[in-house]
Amino acid sequence: MSGHEPIVVVVGAETPGNVGTIARAMKNFGLSNLKLVDPPPLDPDGEAYGFAGHAREDVLPNAEEISFEEVVTTYHTVGCTAITGEDSRRHRRFPYTTPGELAETLQTVDSRTAIVFGREGRGLYNEEIEQLDQICSIPASDDYPVLNLGQAATIVLYELRDLTVDETQLPDREHERAAEADIERFYDYFAEFLDAQRYNDRKREKTQRLMRRLIGRAHPTGREIHTLLGVLRQATEQLEHRQALLDRYDEPDRFGGDTASDGDADRTGDGA
């Protein structure tokens, strides 16, 4: 976002606890600038600070009161609402973006941006929404789309985390695909495995193609592909050993010829 950290604006909050919850969500997702329009009293010993977690140390005590008019004239504004217009004929609440789409659009905004949340009961009034630049809405059940103010803010700020958080507590998930030579060797081993189990020739080509598509989508790591190679190699060796034993015992002269036929011939001769 061109170096501009979004600010969070809460308009007409009725419950101090929700302000504290929003401050905590801001702390979780790397935002620090909280502005309040007509806020309730925020007692340092009250529920706002009790709900704020570590945000009681900086985000909440540094929150500033501001007028709605100042928000509109100072910032690129994004209003958050559960109720949107039904179609393009109603431009007060339409068009709208989801929080995920909002994160993408703000990547290109070279401006100070305010994410604006409304009241617990009624949200932002229509006359307020008319003055905002963008509308954001969280997809939810059509039967009950209205979220608690603190919940809604947490979801939106979570989706914006790529704009505000350089590093998280999670380990790096960069995925290193196995060397193509090792993956091709896996396909060769798979072909040998099919040979060892005497796989149906009519299905063989389709099955090998299916395996190639599956591994191609999975992007296995080097460790994963070497583990699979080991499993296939061991399974193939066991199948080959088993088949060798079966072939050995199927040989006609395994016990010196067809003994049953020889016995029958001798008995027939004795009888003659």
Side-chain angles (χ1 to χ4, degrees):
M1 190 180 299
S2 304
H4 293 298
E5 174 193 320
I7 73 163
V8 174
V9 179
V10 183
V11 178
E14 302 161 13
T15 307
N18 272 326
V19 177
T21 299
I22 293 172
R24 178 171 185 157
M26 291 174 62
K27 184 82 171 180
N28 287 144
F29 302 117
L31 294 99
S32 60
N33 197 338
L34 174 62
K35 306 288 188 186
L36 303 172
V37 176
D38 298 326
L42 301 180
D43 184 349
D45 296 321
E47 67 176 17
Y49 279 78
F51 288 8
H54 287 294
R56 72 170 70 91
E57 301 169 1
D58 45 22
V59 178
L60 196 53
N62 292 329
E64 299 178 349
E65 288 195 41
I66 192 172
S67 69
F68 189 84
E69 291 71 22
E70 188 177 354
V71 172
V72 171
T73 58
T74 306
Y75 300 96
H76 170 82
T77 52
V78 180
C80 298
T81 178
I83 307 303
T84 63
E86 296 178 2
D87 55 38
S88 60
R89 292 173 297 178
R90 301 182 179 184
H91 290 283
R92 180 181 290 142
R93 296 174 179 263
F94 190 96
Y96 59 87
T97 61
T98 66
E101 294 167 341
L102 176 64
E104 294 181 9
T105 63
L106 292 185
Q107 290 277 9
T108 60
V109 175
D110 187 15
S111 176
R112 300 170 67 192
T113 298
I115 312 300
V116 185
F117 297 95
R119 304 157 188 83
E120 288 91 335
R122 298 187 59 186
L124 293 167
Y125 299 145
N126 283 339
E127 55 268 26
E128 293 168 338
I129 285 179
E130 288 174 351
Q131 301 177 62
L132 303 181
D133 299 309
Q134 287 183 255
I135 298 299
C136 177
S137 187
I138 298 169
S141 170
D142 185 51
D143 291 333
Y144 190 43
V146 180
L147 281 78
N148 170 278
L149 175 58
Q151 293 174 324
T154 300
I155 292 171
V156 173
L157 300 184
Y158 166 77
E159 291 290 351
L160 298 181
R161 68 195 182 282
D162 287 343
L163 304 176
T164 58
V165 176
D166 292 328
E167 294 184 7
T168 72
Q169 86 285 10
L170 300 179
D172 188 2
R173 290 199 311 168
E174 284 192 15
H175 190 83
E176 183 178 344
R177 180 179 163 94
E180 294 305 317
D182 289 337
I183 294 177
E184 288 300 321
R185 190 153 59 97
F186 168 81
Y187 297 140
D188 292 339
Y189 271 57
F190 183 65
E192 293 177 11
F193 172 72
L194 295 180
D195 285 339
Q197 63 166 300
R198 299 186 177 181
Y199 194 76
N200 189 321
D201 286 339
R202 292 185 294 106
K203 298 181 179 180
R204 182 188 181 99
E205 182 178 347
K206 182 178 181 180
T207 300
Q208 288 181 275
R209 185 167 59 248
L210 182 151
M211 179 60 73
R212 183 175 286 272
R213 297 290 183 269
L214 177 63
I215 296 297
R217 293 196 308 271
H219 300 298
T221 64
R223 181 175 182 178
E224 289 169 339
I225 206 69
H226 279 96
T227 299
L228 292 175
L229 284 170
V231 170
L232 276 181
R233 182 171 59 247
Q234 185 175 19
T236 300
E237 289 174 352
Q238 291 176 349
L239 285 171
E240 290 175 342
H241 178 68
R242 176 176 177 273
Q243 193 59 52
L245 290 176
L246 290 174
D247 291 344
R248 184 177 177 187
Y249 283 103
D250 282 345
E251 293 176 2
D253 59 346
R254 175 71 181 91
F255 298 101
D258 191 340
T259 54
S261 298
D262 292 344
D264 289 345
D266 290 342
R267 286 192 294 273
T268 300
D270 290 343

